[in-house]
Structure formats: structure tokens, C-alpha cells
Amino acid sequence: MDERVERIFRAAAHVKGRICGCAPEIGIVLGSGLGKLGDRIENPVVVPYSEIPGFPVSTAIGHKGNLIYGTLGGRKVIAMQGRFHFYEGYSMDLVTLPIRVMKVLGITTLFVSNAAGGVNFGFRIGDLMIIKDHINHLPNPLIGKNMDEFGPRFPDMTRPYSPELRQRAKKIALEAGIELKEGVFFASPGPSYETPAEYRYYRMIGADAVGMSTIPEVIVARHCSIDVFGVSVITNEAHDDYSDNYVNDGEEVIEAADRAADKMCYIFEKLIETL
């Protein structure tokens, strides 16, 4: 057997043992500063990444490094409190390992979130943007020998983010008086923040927000025929010009994401109730 597949099934067997053989329906990936949704999971079983065979350890700011199994919105969920990034030095197989592990455990829907820089001039700090499409400048995680156990060599990406889930989320937000944006997410390798010229370029090619994660997970989820819903929390605003003392700061990104997290948690939980 492909050793990548062996690693996936070995990790899944460990997690399955920790959750007493239960099968989650929904997977959740919580990005920078957005881990508080994990605190709303009822009857939680917490499995640190460090205890899972073959799992990397998350080193990014604001990523706790746990899998949490339990109930949210009346459904069995398994949530990642923190993800793995290409910029941490991990291969794409390791970056996306948890998605395939969750597939083996039984999920059929994946919720992803991230903290993202605003590229669209209409976005403000704390806005929530439903991801309707993406532009990928990270290595594609499907490069290499195809894992036939999980999906086809050439998976369709016409609708990477479920139109039905996006419409349900808009209805939930409208009823709750929460303003939602919708747009295209751009992923770059990082870890350096973007230059003003790069921001202008991303805007010109159709991006509304930019980050350093998420898309590899989405590609692998769609390869596995998992439905995906994604939200970016906008943590800084686009500018036409930058002052001489302007600085992008990682701690400020986490703080902005934390302030917006309650709105995102509400939408996620209510949307899960509809599944």
C-alpha cells in the first residue's frame, strides 16, 4: 500500500479509538484566531495532534493544535483547532493529511475558515466573506501519484464551494442581521505578508481576499467528494496607498479575527443545524 495512504489510515485508526468508534458527519478547520468555536462543541473529546501517529504539530500563531470530537448544532463534528501550513515547512501531503483522515472517519461536509487580508476596497476589518471561488498560488496537493482510494486523477473544481450551503448561510445571516460579503479567496505560500504591488496584482486578477492556507484542504476535500463551505474573516483593509509607517502585524491579525469569531461561530452552528 502507498505509504501516504498507510499514514492516513493509521492516524484515522488512532482517532477512531479515542472517540470510541463514533463517526463524525462534519469536519471543521478553524484558522488563525478562530479556535473559539471548538469551545462550543458539547461533550468534547480532545485529541492533541502530538498524540496522533504521523500528524505534524501546528506552529502558527493562534493555532492550538487539537482535534475535537463532539456535538455542535445537533450533529457529530470533528474540528481542527489549528491547521498546518506549507510555510511551516510541511509537505502538501502533511498539510492536507487531516482532511483525508476525517474522510476515513466518515465526514461528508467540511467547513473551513481563515483570517484573510482584504483585497477588495469594499471590505472592512471584521467583515465575514463567504468564499465562492479561489485562486491557488500554492502547490497543488494532488501532484504525484493519485490516491485512487480517495478520488479520481482529475477532479472537477467548477464549484469547489457548495452553492447550496452558501445560499443557506446567506439566509441565516440575513435573519440574524449579520452582514456577509462574498468573494474570491487567493492563497499565496507566505509566510511574508504581501507587498503593495502584490495586493494590486491580486485585485487585478479577481481576488477579494488573500491568505496562506485553506485552498489545499479544499482541493483534497473535493477530490474526496466532500461538500465544502468556507468563510474568511477580513483582518486588514485594502489601501490605494500605504503610509510610510504602515505595518502588517501577526498579533493584530489574530485580535481582529477573534473579534469577528462570534459571528462566524453563529453562522457555522446554525448552518450545521440545517444539514
Side-chain angles (χ1 to χ4, degrees):
M1 182 186 290
D2 187 325
E3 55 183 51
R4 298 171 301 164
V5 177
E6 288 181 355
R7 183 191 297 120
I8 292 163
F9 280 95
R10 188 165 59 247
H14 178 86
V15 176
K16 192 170 185 177
R18 290 292 306 274
I19 63 178
C20 301
C22 296
E25 306 165 76
I26 297 157
I28 306 170
V29 182
L30 298 169
S32 300
L34 300 169
K36 64 168 57 178
L37 183 64
D39 299 331
R40 299 171 75 146
I41 295 175
E42 299 173 357
N43 303 313
V45 177
V46 179
V47 186
Y49 296 161
S50 59
E51 296 180 4
I52 303 172
F55 252 54
V57 176
S58 183
T59 65
I61 299 172
H63 292 247
K64 291 184 178 180
N66 297 314
L67 273 183
I68 304 177
Y69 170 81
T71 303
L72 184 71
R75 299 287 185 173
K76 297 299 183 184
V77 305
I78 190 159
M80 293 179 66
Q81 274 191 313
R83 58 160 49 93
F84 310 122
H85 303 80
F86 184 64
Y87 67 70
E88 294 175 86
Y90 294 126
S91 69
M92 276 299 166
D93 286 340
L94 290 177
V95 168
T96 57
L97 171 65
I99 308 305
R100 291 191 173 106
V101 168
M102 289 192 284
K103 171 67 175 181
V104 172
L105 292 173
I107 74 162
T108 56
T109 305
L110 180 69
F111 286 61
V112 293
S113 65
N114 59 53
V119 176
N120 187 313
F121 285 130
F123 289 1
R124 297 291 174 261
I125 294 173
D127 281 350
L128 299 181
M129 183 192 86
I130 294 177
I131 306 173
K132 67 178 180 181
D133 204 345
H134 65 231
I135 300 170
N136 186 35
H137 273 213
L138 284 162
N140 192 301
L142 303 183
I143 291 172
K145 183 181 178 182
N146 186 53
M147 295 189 200
D148 296 331
E149 298 89 340
F150 290 92
R153 170 77 283 187
F154 301 107
D156 177 50
M157 292 294 291
T158 308
R159 289 171 291 278
Y161 303 88
S162 167
E164 181 180 353
L165 293 178
R166 284 160 37 209
Q167 290 305 314
R168 290 187 194 181
K170 291 176 190 176
K171 184 173 184 293
I172 289 165
L174 182 63
E175 291 172 350
I178 297 172
E179 182 182 3
L180 286 181
K181 307 292 188 181
E182 190 171 31
V184 175
F185 177 74
F186 180 102
S188 66
S192 56
Y193 287 116
E194 298 75 22
T195 68
E198 287 169 335
Y199 268 117
R200 287 194 297 272
Y201 168 63
Y202 301 155
R203 189 180 307 115
M204 287 172 63
I205 64 173
D208 295 288
V210 60
M212 305 172 190
S213 67
T214 306
I215 294 177
E217 298 153 352
V218 172
I219 291 172
V220 165
R222 294 305 302 139
H223 181 246
C224 298
S225 298
I226 296 170
D227 290 332
V228 178
F229 175 74
V231 170
S232 294
V233 176
I234 305 302
T235 54
N236 44 54
E237 297 177 9
H239 297 272
D240 238 341
D241 196 11
Y242 291 82
S243 64
D244 290 341
N245 62 353
Y246 180 86
V247 174
N248 260 326
D249 182 87
E251 294 293 345
E252 290 179 1
V253 166
I254 302 303
E255 291 172 7
D258 187 66
R259 290 193 297 271
D262 287 337
K263 294 185 294 182
M264 190 204 74
C265 290
Y266 177 85
I267 290 170
F268 272 28
E269 189 167 359
K270 291 299 181 182
L271 188 52
I272 287 169
E273 288 177 5
T274 72
L275 297 178

